[in-house]
Amino acid sequence: MERRPIYVALVHYPVLNRHGDLIASAITNLDIHDIARLARTYDLLAYYLVTPLVDQQVLARRLIMHWTDGVGGDINPDRQEALGLLRIADSIDEACKEITLETGSRPLVYATTAREWPASLAWSELRREIGRHYDSILLLFGTAFGLDKSVLRGVDGVLSPIEGKRRYNHLSVRSAVAIALDRLLGGN
Amino acid sequence: MERRPIYVALVHYPVLNRHGDLIASAITNLDIHDIARLARTYDLLAYYLVTPLVDQQVLARRLIMHWTDGVGGDINPDRQEALGLLRIADSIDEACKEITLETGSRPLVYATTAREWPASLAWSELRREIGRHYDSILLLFGTAFGLDKSVLRGVDGVLSPIEGKRRYNHLSVRSAVAIALDRLLGGN
């Protein structure tokens, strides 16, 4: 394979709410558009929307169809191209299985968090790792108040908070994905 | 002054529409929130919303008040802190005048564009320039289909497109601001 396959997943379950309870968050139209355009810009293979809620999956599929098959695609072919990267998965594990089928090996899974996490990985380290030609990589981003610890414990690595040394660290997940992809793949 | 003062402006006029006509675009709730949180994270001094449309200014002021003085601020103090950085200006020139009054000298103004522009500045160059302790800097981002050429011609420098070497380059302005601030101020 010429180029290392990179995937991103926006996770709506299992995530935390403001009080630290486990929830399934709702999908957001703007997240879908902004992250699809980022995924296309940085040449990712796909952008997974992870939600086990069937009504949310139906909503997402309607939105994708509007922009890929419907009038939206005719009016705005750039959106069509970006939204074409979107895939829906019931769970992180289902996304991993699909990637395994597609690439022939299980992806390395890296999670992001705005909180401190022991032995977290620097962005520059993962950028170097990406430069080597091995397995595919799946990058996880949590919606709401972030990924549940059960996810962080089960992955191959957890990245350091984006601006962890600063006092204020409350970026939208859209901003976090933008900065993350640029740190890993951008600039040159 | 200890730290170089940096400002960002989201410009709603003069910008272009899809057909290249000069327009004033509408303000967007999500832009305001995402960019305010970015401005706060990267320790900017203020985030200017530039629009000459009075009804849009009124709308923006109501939104700001909800989050800074209203119930929104009580529920979400992080938003309150971010939205507190928002200022409204009739024009880019008015923002420059306010910054001049605040800092004692006229800011260096840099514009961003997704298009090619002769003698554009690399992000690493502006990052080095920021490292030197001189005048304040105002970074301009255009909404809709980007800043009008009259703006690009009048500034101290125009930055290179964020991922200009790639085939697809259609980021949302929210994503562009996130990546720009991280390239200039992030990471360390």
Side-chain angles (χ1 to χ4, degrees):
Chain A
M1 191 164 290
E2 236 183 43
R3 190 166 59 79
R4 186 167 193 138
I6 298 173
Y7 300 82
V8 69
L10 187 65
V11 178
H12 296 78
Y13 178 86
V15 293
L16 305 175
N17 71 5
R18 171 188 307 279
H19 309 293
D21 309 318
L22 196 65
I23 57 157
S25 68
I27 62 169
T28 309
N29 186 33
L30 241 304
D31 287 352
I32 292 177
H33 280 279
D34 278 16
I35 299 175
R37 289 158 78 182
L38 282 161
R40 183 62 200 85
T41 299
Y42 288 93
D43 289 317
L44 304 199
L45 256 76
Y47 157 29
Y48 280 96
L49 209 66
V50 174
T51 175
L53 303 179
V54 175
D55 65 322
Q56 295 282 298
Q57 294 183 359
V58 170
L59 197 65
R61 275 186 225 288
R62 274 177 47 196
L63 196 145
I64 297 169
M65 276 184 62
H66 171 77
W67 291 101
T68 54
D69 298 329
V71 285
D74 300 334
I75 295 172
N76 198 331
D78 299 331
R79 293 288 175 109
Q80 185 174 35
E81 196 176 335
L83 272 288
L85 294 179
L86 201 59
R87 299 179 187 173
I88 296 163
D90 278 328
S91 64
I92 296 168
D93 196 50
E94 196 196 277
C96 284
K97 281 180 185 157
E98 203 173 290
I99 294 169
T100 305
L101 280 172
E102 186 166 47
T103 66
S105 61
R106 199 166 170 84
L108 289 167
V109 183
Y110 292 98
T112 57
T113 177
R115 301 197 177 117
E116 291 303 319
W117 189 258
S120 67
L121 193 69
W123 292 88
S124 53
E125 267 180 79
L126 185 55
R127 186 173 175 119
R128 275 195 299 276
E129 165 68 26
I130 285 174
R132 297 180 202 117
H133 286 256
Y134 292 101
D135 299 328
S136 55
I137 284 175
L138 172 62
L139 262 179
L140 306 179
F141 293 85
T143 54
F145 281 71
L147 294 165
D148 183 51
K149 280 187 180 171
S150 63
V151 176
L152 301 181
R153 284 195 198 103
V155 294
D156 296 293
V158 176
L159 284 148
S160 304
I162 279 182
E163 286 292 293
K165 288 176 190 162
R166 295 184 189 259
R167 193 181 67 71
Y168 184 98
N169 189 21
H170 302 281
L171 296 172
S172 73
V173 72
R174 295 172 293 280
S175 298
V177 176
I179 293 165
L181 293 184
D182 195 59
R183 285 189 181 182
L184 297 177
L185 303 163
N188 313 297
Chain B
M1 190 163 294
E2 236 182 45
R3 190 166 58 78
R4 186 168 193 138
I6 299 174
Y7 300 83
V8 70
L10 187 66
V11 178
H12 296 78
Y13 177 86
V15 292
L16 305 177
N17 71 5
R18 172 188 308 278
H19 309 293
D21 309 319
L22 197 64
I23 57 158
S25 67
I27 62 168
T28 309
N29 185 33
L30 242 305
D31 287 351
I32 292 177
H33 280 279
D34 277 17
I35 299 174
R37 289 159 77 183
L38 282 161
R40 182 62 200 84
T41 298
Y42 289 94
D43 289 316
L44 305 199
L45 256 76
Y47 157 29
Y48 281 96
L49 209 66
V50 174
T51 175
L53 304 178
V54 174
D55 65 322
Q56 295 281 299
Q57 294 183 358
V58 170
L59 196 65
R61 275 186 225 288
R62 274 178 46 197
L63 196 144
I64 297 169
M65 277 184 63
H66 171 77
W67 289 101
T68 54
D69 298 329
V71 285
D74 301 333
I75 295 172
N76 199 330
D78 300 330
R79 294 288 175 109
Q80 184 174 36
E81 196 176 335
L83 273 288
L85 295 180
L86 202 59
R87 299 178 187 173
I88 296 162
D90 278 328
S91 64
I92 297 168
D93 195 51
E94 196 196 278
C96 284
K97 281 180 184 154
E98 204 173 289
I99 294 170
T100 305
L101 280 172
E102 186 166 48
T103 66
S105 63
R106 197 166 172 84
L108 288 168
V109 183
Y110 292 97
T112 56
T113 177
R115 299 194 181 121
E116 292 303 318
W117 189 258
S120 67
L121 193 68
W123 292 89
S124 54
E125 267 180 78
L126 184 55
R127 186 173 175 120
R128 277 195 297 276
E129 165 68 25
I130 285 174
R132 297 178 202 120
H133 287 252
Y134 291 101
D135 299 329
S136 54
I137 284 175
L138 172 61
L139 262 179
L140 306 179
F141 293 85
T143 54
F145 282 71
L147 294 164
D148 183 51
K149 280 188 179 173
S150 63
V151 176
L152 301 182
R153 285 195 198 104
V155 294
D156 296 293
V158 176
L159 284 148
S160 304
I162 279 182
E163 287 291 292
K165 287 176 192 164
R166 296 185 189 258
R167 193 181 67 72
Y168 184 97
N169 190 19
H170 303 280
L171 296 172
S172 72
V173 73
R174 295 172 293 281
S175 298
V177 176
I179 293 165
L181 293 184
D182 195 60
R183 286 189 180 181
L184 297 177
L185 303 163
N188 311 299

